[in-house]
Amino acid sequence: MLIKTYDLDIFTPPCEPGAERYSAIARLATNISEVLPYLNATLRGAIYHEAANALTWKKGGHNIAFHAFEIATSNIVDRDAAIKELDGLVQLVNRTWERRAELIPSYQKRQRPAPMDVYQLLPKTNCKQCSEETCYIFALKLSTGQRQLADCPPLLEPDFADKRQQLKEIVNDMPAIG
Ligand code: SF4
């Protein structure tokens, strides 16, 4: 196990005293730098900054950052949720580290596709079958890895085969989270 213990710091952002959303940081005794390229290889939508030794990732509306000695997350509803969220992230790091022999680390810094480019390839019918209000909102979430192509049923229709393939090349070239 890579991370055995950590100290937890939960706070409201200094620029927003009294804010209802929390940020939280797990301060680690262990350096997790070596696991970052493996997370980069497996987390859909993650962005790895090798020079800064950091990896950022969006998940469920939270902005998450992994650094050598800390894991930070934001936009958490309450303290219990912050504890649970960071525990899940620590477990993710440990699981990824344990699986490293079967993974190929990636040092590539990926660029997120522009939401408008993604939108242009969607059906643009705003049918809401994906549970989003509009195709553009779906495009925003698809470009940051919060939704997947399979969440848009109309894309499975034969008429959209070409566009689905193009979308796959720009947003779905990374494996989904294991
Ligand atoms: S299911 Fe697809 S076509 Fe329908 S609103 Fe969502 S993104 Fe648009």
Side-chain angles (χ1 to χ4, degrees):
M1 190 186 294
L2 186 62
I3 303 172
K4 295 188 180 73
T5 60
Y6 57 91
D7 292 327
L8 193 57
D9 196 0
I10 303 172
F11 54 94
T12 52
C15 54
E16 299 177 58
E20 289 177 10
R21 292 280 173 168
Y22 289 84
S23 294
I25 298 176
R27 301 192 191 281
L28 315 174
T30 312
N31 186 339
I32 62 166
S33 300
E34 282 188 51
V35 81
L36 300 186
Y38 293 96
L39 289 170
N40 190 37
T42 55
L43 297 182
R44 190 165 170 267
I47 296 185
Y48 180 47
H49 308 263
E50 188 177 6
N53 201 17
L55 181 128
T56 56
W57 182 42
K58 264 185 184 286
K59 181 192 163 214
H62 308 311
N63 294 311
I64 296 160
F66 298 89
H67 296 274
F69 286 98
E70 69 178 40
I71 304 171
T73 183
S74 65
N75 200 26
I76 310 281
V77 67
D78 59 30
R79 286 177 175 272
D80 287 347
I83 292 167
K84 195 172 165 194
E85 171 83 7
L86 274 173
D87 183 57
L89 292 169
V90 165
Q91 287 181 37
L92 171 67
V93 168
N94 283 337
R95 271 202 315 275
T96 304
W97 184 245
E98 279 154 25
R99 289 180 52 217
R100 66 191 182 284
E102 20 173 306
L103 301 172
I104 299 171
S106 168
Y107 296 85
Q108 186 185 356
K109 182 178 178 181
R110 301 186 186 97
Q111 295 295 328
R112 285 196 180 117
M116 186 52 79
D117 292 344
V118 173
Y119 171 73
Q120 294 298 348
L121 294 167
L122 290 173
K124 292 187 271 193
T125 57
N126 299 331
C127 71
K128 300 185 176 64
Q129 290 182 63
C130 57
S131 309
E132 302 295 349
E133 278 302 304
T134 64
C135 292
Y136 189 72
I137 293 174
F138 185 81
L140 280 171
K141 294 189 176 179
L142 195 57
S143 67
T144 55
Q146 296 175 76
R147 301 300 302 264
Q148 295 189 310
L149 288 178
D151 297 333
C152 170
L155 274 179
L156 295 171
E157 293 169 13
D159 284 356
F160 287 104
D162 282 355
K163 290 189 170 171
R164 181 179 165 80
Q165 186 54 38
Q166 289 179 60
L167 280 164
K168 251 183 158 171
E169 285 164 15
I170 64 170
V171 304
N172 209 21
D173 60 339
M174 290 169 273
I177 305 156

